Amino acid sequence: MPVKGEDIALPICYAYKQHETNGVTNQAFVPDAARAERKLEEALSVESEKPNDEDIEFDPWALPELTDTSVPWAELTTGGKVKRVLIEWIAKAIAILTLLYLFICSLDFMSSGFRLLGGKAASEVFTYNEVLNNPVAGVMIGILVTVLVQSSSTSTSIVVTMVASGLMAVKPAIYFVMGANIGTSVTNTIVSITQLGDRNQFRRAFGGATVHDMFNWLTVIILLPLEVITRKCIEYKL
């Protein structure tokens, strides 16, 4: 926005001058109009160089500045300090440990359930099936299961418990886990699509999802051939 001259008050500048009156030399500060005009021009040039809000280019990748809205510890009362220690510190730590314990117990229950339901016949099917032992087929099955349950943690937990219960060998489980890592990329892409209402938010969300996808894809592309080659070498030596 251009700055108009009438919007800025004319600076009052004085110059130290000497003048002689009736043979007496007098010294005084008198207004200097030329210097005042120079000051005004400098002020106008500084104001015109300031960027306007409309001229600043919006960066969609810039993150908002997060501010801590909690009450500082020094400003809390005694009851507030006790409440923060008991609820925000101790209670949260106990809740995290309890949930972790329940998760481990659930894996053990799932392993026992697979052992009871599967039996020896199901174990032989998973172990000696040529399709499941194929690396590409194993990866595709892992992708399909993860897309269906929309959770790589769930599919990986199922594979781990099946291996622990003896229902599946380690060899096909490796391919299933790799496929689960690729299948989870579908989930984060779907989540990023939900941000279509805001173009900038969708750009950031889809960019983050793409980075996650590329990391998982590149990891599987690199590690899967290494797994197949090293396993063939070990089987050849044996």
Side-chain angles (χ1 to χ4, degrees), residues 212-225:
H212 179 266
D213 298 347
M214 290 299 102
F215 177 79
N216 288 348
W217 276 95
L218 291 176
T219 302
V220 174
I221 290 173
I222 294 173
L223 295 182
L224 182 60

Side-chain angles (χ1 to χ4, degrees), residues 79-124:
K81 292 180 180 179
V82 173
K83 182 178 179 181
R84 175 172 292 185
V85 171
L86 292 178
I87 297 179
E88 297 187 5
W89 297 353
I90 299 178
K92 286 184 178 180
I94 294 175
I96 291 173
L97 294 176
T98 303
L99 294 175
L100 182 61
Y101 174 75
L102 293 176
F103 175 72
I104 295 174
C105 290
S106 66
L107 293 180
D108 183 66
F109 295 153
M110 190 183 297
S111 175
S112 301
F114 278 124
R115 193 179 295 110
L116 292 173
L117 294 176
K120 185 177 180 181
S123 176
E124 292 178 353

Side-chain angles (χ1 to χ4, degrees), residues 58-93:
F58 177 74
D59 185 9
W61 302 103
L63 297 177
E65 296 183 2
L66 302 178
T67 57
D68 187 7
T69 58
S70 60
V71 182
W73 178 265
E75 299 179 3
L76 288 174
T77 61
T78 303
K81 292 180 180 179
V82 173
K83 182 178 179 181
R84 175 172 292 185
V85 171
L86 292 178
I87 297 179
E88 297 187 5
W89 297 353
I90 299 178
K92 286 184 178 180

